[in-house]
Amino acid sequence: MDASFSAEEHFRRGEEALGCGQKELALEHFGAAHRLDGTSARYRSHYGLALGLAERRLDRALELCRSAAREEFFQPMHYLNLARLHLAFGFKAEAIRYLRRGLMIDPDNDAISSQLSRLGVRRRPPLVFLRRQHVLNRWIGRLIGRPNAIGEPALLPFEV
């Protein structure tokens, strides 16, 4: 690891390594960036993500990511990192919750939208006060979701 790199250069190299699937190298670079500038929430969030992915240290990783999200609650990237961390440990419901929170901040965020679509998030049942498996929810859901002859969802079981 070159000691002459700036925190931003370590961060950039960490992102490249993480994008290539090199979790340990990403951890080294994000850790160096965090050590050089410990006040940056962005470096802290990515260091937490890499720590969780590379060393499987969920408690410390969540602590770092959550503190970054609390400090910069207006940055959707922190919620994406929290979601990726939760997904890596098998907590899909929590991950979806953080992705939705990130979309509330930035509805046009492509990374969060694509992650949500990859997860295959279900729509809410038509009658939210009934269980999803209730016969009325299943029947209404089929009517709403079934496309008609021209490709639009049929809202009624018959043509008007």
Side-chain angles (χ1 to χ4, degrees):
M1 185 87 40
D2 191 350
S4 64
F5 288 159
S6 67
E8 187 61 33
E9 180 65 18
H10 277 296
F11 179 79
R12 190 186 63 71
R13 289 177 183 240
E15 279 187 321
E16 288 175 10
L18 195 59
C20 294
Q22 299 172 330
K23 299 171 190 171
E24 290 78 17
L25 182 59
L27 177 62
E28 289 179 28
H29 282 294
F30 288 139
H34 179 62
R35 280 189 299 279
L36 289 171
D37 185 3
T39 61
S40 171
R42 183 171 68 141
Y43 300 158
R44 192 176 330 126
S45 177
H46 280 79
Y47 176 56
L49 174 64
L51 189 65
L53 295 177
E55 294 187 357
R56 309 292 294 169
R57 292 176 48 194
L58 179 63
D59 292 340
R60 179 72 176 134
L62 282 177
E63 178 184 322
L64 290 166
C65 289
R66 285 180 179 153
S67 73
R70 272 192 306 272
E71 186 178 319
E72 291 184 352
F73 58 88
F74 49 86
Q75 287 292 336
M77 167 189 55
H78 300 312
Y79 298 105
L80 177 61
N81 285 346
L82 275 164
R84 291 173 68 189
L85 191 58
H86 279 89
L87 279 175
F89 283 89
F91 302 114
K92 183 178 177 181
E94 280 294 306
I96 290 171
R97 193 179 71 126
Y98 281 115
L99 290 171
R100 286 184 175 151
R101 191 176 291 177
L103 277 181
M104 287 191 320
I105 296 166
D106 182 10
D108 298 326
N109 190 303
D110 293 333
I112 294 176
S113 297
S114 67
Q115 185 71 38
L116 262 176
S117 67
R118 274 195 300 267
L119 288 175
V121 179
R122 290 173 147 184
R123 290 182 295 180
R124 291 176 55 175
L127 304 173
V128 293
F129 54 87
L130 294 174
R131 293 177 329 186
R132 180 177 294 280
Q133 294 81 17
H134 193 278
V135 68
L136 287 176
N137 266 334
R138 295 175 64 83
W139 188 75
I140 294 171
R142 286 185 186 130
L143 288 176
I144 292 172
R146 183 180 300 147
N148 62 15
I150 58 173
E152 295 174 353
L155 298 178
L156 299 173
F158 51 87
E159 293 297 320
V160 180

